[in-house]
Amino acid sequence: MELVSEKIKLQKEAIEEHQKYNDAEIEKKLNEVTDSLSQINVINKNNTLITKHIVVLSNKISDQSLTEKKSSKLVQLESKLETRLKKLEKEEKFYEENHDCPTCKQSIAEEFRRDQLSGINQTKGEIGVAVKDIETQIQITSQRLEEIQKIVKHVQEHNNEIVRHNSTISAVHTFISKTQKDIKALSD
């Protein structure tokens, strides 16, 4: 009888120790779940802040397509003006080198030649000023496009950071599910 009582007592002690171990493990795992949920909350807050920053940055580059169009039009206009300058230079060279029309062999009046050369020089001056203005505008637009590209790169980096955060959240959720299964198994 004593032997059975002793065996029962040892069995009860083993069960109590096993229960204490299980309770300690359950407590440890519940703390891990709580810590993991806190980690998710921190990551979500970071994602919210990053998203707000992305919105601010996106607002700073809302003129991107307009700036790109403006840059393209300025380059086209500069090209047209340079073509016009070359044409004027050909005309100027013609009036400087020819006193007679090469086609009809008639004499070109000196006053007409001077008027043409004067008009060509005036137009060339105006176009030259316009080209310089356009070059300045192109430079300003190019600088703005560089700023926009830096901001776009910054936004992409933030988006990549959010993706990494979301991957971490997914992994933590998987860990929480596994831990909750472990808690249920220990409770059972």
Side-chain angles (χ1 to χ4, degrees):
M1 191 70 138
E2 267 181 53
L3 195 58
V4 171
S5 291
E6 187 66 29
K7 195 173 183 183
I8 291 173
K9 180 182 167 190
L10 289 174
Q11 193 69 23
K12 284 182 180 181
E13 287 175 2
I15 289 172
E16 284 177 21
E17 270 196 48
H18 188 63
Q19 186 62 42
K20 284 179 185 178
Y21 172 79
N22 280 356
D23 288 345
E25 280 297 306
I26 289 171
E27 185 67 28
K28 178 181 160 192
K29 293 198 179 284
L30 285 173
N31 287 335
E32 288 174 355
V33 168
T34 302
D35 291 345
S36 296
L37 290 172
S38 295
Q39 183 182 7
I40 288 173
N41 285 334
V42 168
I43 291 171
N44 280 330
K45 286 178 184 177
N46 286 340
N47 278 352
T48 301
L49 291 175
I50 292 169
T51 301
K52 286 179 182 178
H53 191 230
I54 287 173
V55 169
V56 169
L57 291 174
S58 295
N59 288 335
K60 286 183 178 182
I61 60 171
S62 62
D63 64 335
Q64 181 177 4
S65 64
L66 291 175
T67 305
E68 289 170 348
K69 287 178 186 175
K70 180 180 178 181
S71 176
S72 175
K73 287 181 180 181
L74 285 171
V75 169
Q76 288 175 350
L77 184 57
E78 180 185 36
S79 176
K80 287 179 182 178
L81 289 176
E82 287 176 350
T83 301
R84 178 78 171 120
L85 271 177
K86 287 179 183 175
K87 184 178 177 189
L88 287 172
E89 288 172 358
K90 277 185 171 180
E91 284 184 44
E92 182 181 40
K93 184 177 178 182
F94 172 81
Y95 285 112
E96 285 176 348
E97 293 178 356
N98 294 302
H99 295 281
D100 294 329
C101 176
T103 305
C104 64
K105 306 292 184 207
Q106 290 185 3
S107 166
I108 301 173
E110 191 60 34
E111 188 176 325
F112 178 77
R113 279 182 62 244
R114 279 193 305 258
D115 288 346
Q116 290 296 0
L117 287 171
S118 174
I120 289 170
N121 283 330
Q122 181 180 353
T123 305
K124 278 176 54 178
E126 291 168 357
I127 291 174
V129 168
V131 167
K132 292 230 185 281
D133 288 344
I134 289 172
E135 286 173 349
T136 301
Q137 288 298 316
I138 288 173
Q139 185 178 12
I140 290 168
T141 306
S142 293
Q143 288 172 347
R144 177 63 185 142
L145 286 172
E146 286 176 18
E147 290 171 10
I148 288 171
Q149 290 305 315
K150 287 179 185 176
I151 292 172
V152 166
K153 183 179 177 187
H154 195 83
V155 167
Q156 288 172 340
E157 289 169 355
H158 280 317
N159 283 328
N160 291 341
E161 190 174 358
I162 287 174
V163 167
R164 285 191 305 275
H165 286 174
N166 288 339
S167 294
T168 301
I169 288 172
S170 178
V172 171
H173 277 297
T174 301
F175 173 76
I176 289 172
S177 293
K178 180 189 174 301
T179 304
Q180 287 173 335
K181 287 178 186 175
D182 290 348
I183 290 171
K184 184 171 179 356
L186 288 170
S187 296
D188 291 346

